[in-house]
Structure formats: C-alpha cells, structure tokens
Amino acid sequence: MDLPNCPKCNSSYTYEDGSLFVCPECAHEWALEAETSEEQKVVKDANGNILNDGDSVTVIKDLKVKGSSSTLKVGTKVKNIRLVDGDHDIDCKIDGFGAMKLKSEFVKKA
C-alpha cells in the first residue's frame, strides 16, 4: 500500500482508520482532500427531508425489533441520530430499547 506520510511529524508508519489516516507516533488524524471532496451520500426521510447527524426523528411505522419480542411503536421519538453507511442508514440510542440501527424510509424528521 502507498499511504501518505504524516503531515505533522512526517512519520511513514501511518495507517487507515475508516475514512481517516492516523499517525501512531504523534496521534495526528487527517483526511486526504481527494476523499473529502467526493460527493457525500444524502440520506432522506420518508417525506424527502434531508437528514443530518444530530437530528431528531419520529418512527412512522411499527417496527419489529430483531432478536426481541418487543416492537418499536409508531410515534417513538429518536434524538441525536448518527448517519452511517450500510443497509441501515441511522445509528441511534432509543430510550427503553438501547442502541439501534434504523432505515431512513421508516422515520420522519421531527
């Protein structure tokens, strides 16, 4: 692999961590400009509103919770969402359920 040297201390021992590069010697983290200029994935709710990290959303359909006998009811409010890549667009913590992953098609912006 041809990873860039650390821009802070010029160390050649950098490694990739998700979308960032990390220097183990000085703990500097950075992203290459080529990667940051790429088009970001836009996540929209069921009504077509654009969702951002930290938004609050409301569940619009009863959802079965995998691995549990309980159900996530319509109208459940979810605060402080985090957008992630993958099949489920939203990573969040729901009171009474804990950490969950949701699909954006089943929520609306609050």
Side-chain angles (χ1 to χ4, degrees), residues 60-92:
I60 62 168
K61 177 183 175 184
D62 282 346
L63 300 172
K64 290 185 178 180
V65 179
K66 205 173 202 180
S68 175
S69 61
S70 56
T71 314
L72 197 57
K73 298 289 185 189
V74 173
T76 302
K77 190 164 184 176
V78 181
K79 299 177 188 174
N80 199 17
I81 65 169
R82 189 173 58 232
L83 302 178
V84 294
D85 289 334
D87 186 32
H88 292 72
D89 305 310
I90 300 170
D91 208 8
C92 59

Side-chain angles (χ1 to χ4, degrees), residues 16-20 35:
E16 205 169 347
D17 185 21
S19 62
L20 296 175
E35 290 183 6

